[in-house]
Amino acid sequence: MTVEQIPVQVDGNPLMFDSNVSFENLTERLKLEIGPQRVIAEVKLGTDFLGLDDEAKIAQQPLSKLGPLEFFTKEVTDLLKDSLQLAPRICESLALDCQDVLAFFEKEEFEAAHERIGEISSLVDWLLQCIVSLQSYGDESFKTLAVEEGTLVDSVRAMEKILKELHGHLSSQNYGPFLRILLGEFKPQIILWKALFEKAATSWTPRSSKSET
């Protein structure tokens, strides 16, 4: 029996897929289709753009059960340049979040404190992934990026140690040591990252790809 084919728009061009393929499998196939130099930047279902939570909810749904799908892709290097413009603002926001967490604990608003800590954790994960991608796609100079306070590589190592300690104290409800590290070590590292990202925004260049002839 012939399986019905359904069109999926990718950057304005229709590609045909089996109607029984799941959204998750479709996404993986598209990643292979567009190649390593491009990434899926946005997904639109009907008239709505999907967030990560939305995509997770429909991951196993077949195309036949979904409405019209449209994918928008972007060059990795362009996406990273956009991230470099955003990263310093995120670092600035994280520094302010540290003060908010302190205020929440002082007022014994523990639920609000934990929610804010969760948000901080997610943003730091995003920044770490950004750094990994910048290293992967950038030229060698990015690995030695430094400001007066230190190098990027040393700062990442320091941050990983700080995050481990913060997690340990939070899990054990040792809020005093947690706050001391958050304000005395984490916050200065985030301020350092802001300076490093600002420098990278003016100096980062993608690794040159030599095409074989």
Side-chain angles (χ1 to χ4, degrees):
M1 186 174 70
T2 304
V3 178
E4 180 189 1
Q5 296 278 297
I6 293 179
V8 173
Q9 296 290 326
V10 181
D11 294 329
N13 299 311
L15 296 178
M16 304 302 293
F17 292 92
D18 290 349
S19 61
N20 58 7
V21 70
S22 69
F23 176 81
E24 184 176 52
N25 286 338
L26 169 66
T27 302
E28 292 304 314
R29 291 187 194 181
L30 285 179
K31 288 177 182 177
L32 295 174
E33 184 78 23
I34 63 179
Q37 298 304 316
R38 297 189 73 84
V39 292
I40 296 171
E42 291 182 306
V43 182
K44 192 176 183 181
L45 176 58
T47 59
D48 299 322
F49 284 96
L50 303 181
L52 293 178
D53 289 342
D54 299 321
E55 292 182 25
K57 289 176 183 177
I58 65 170
Q60 302 307 318
Q61 290 289 320
L63 283 184
S64 59
K65 299 292 185 181
L66 301 173
L69 276 170
E70 189 167 3
F71 290 78
F72 301 88
T73 72
K74 200 166 189 176
E75 287 281 350
V76 172
T77 53
D78 290 339
L79 193 64
L80 288 174
K81 287 175 183 177
D82 290 344
S83 297
L84 275 173
Q85 299 301 317
L86 179 62
R89 297 200 295 273
I90 289 178
C91 291
E92 191 172 348
S93 175
L94 283 169
L96 296 174
D97 285 340
C98 292
Q99 297 302 135
D100 288 344
V101 170
L102 174 62
F104 287 139
F105 275 117
E106 287 177 340
K107 297 174 185 176
E108 296 188 353
E109 297 177 359
F110 299 117
E111 184 176 346
H114 281 274
E115 287 179 2
R116 187 60 57 86
I117 291 166
E119 294 168 3
I120 290 173
S121 178
S122 296
L123 289 173
V124 172
D125 284 343
W126 184 88
L127 290 172
L128 284 167
Q129 288 300 316
C130 184
I131 290 171
V132 170
S133 297
L134 288 166
Q135 287 180 323
S136 298
Y137 289 92
D139 63 17
E140 289 298 315
S141 64
F142 182 74
K143 294 181 181 179
T144 58
L145 182 70
V147 292
E148 290 183 5
E149 295 86 350
T151 68
L152 175 68
V153 172
D154 289 342
S155 180
V156 169
R157 288 173 181 161
M159 180 63 82
E160 289 172 343
K161 178 175 177 291
I162 290 168
L163 292 174
K164 184 177 181 180
E165 292 176 351
L166 285 173
H167 178 73
H169 287 306
L170 189 63
S171 298
S172 303
Q173 297 185 353
N174 298 326
Y175 297 136
F178 173 85
L179 289 171
R180 283 195 294 273
I181 293 173
L182 183 73
L183 297 169
E185 297 181 41
F186 175 83
K187 184 178 177 181
Q189 283 297 324
I190 282 295
I191 293 172
L192 171 58
W193 277 19
K194 180 176 183 287
L196 287 164
F197 277 121
E198 286 173 340
K199 185 171 183 179
T202 61
S203 62
W204 183 83
T205 54
R207 182 179 300 161
S208 59
S209 57
K210 298 179 180 179
S211 57
E212 297 181 1
T213 57

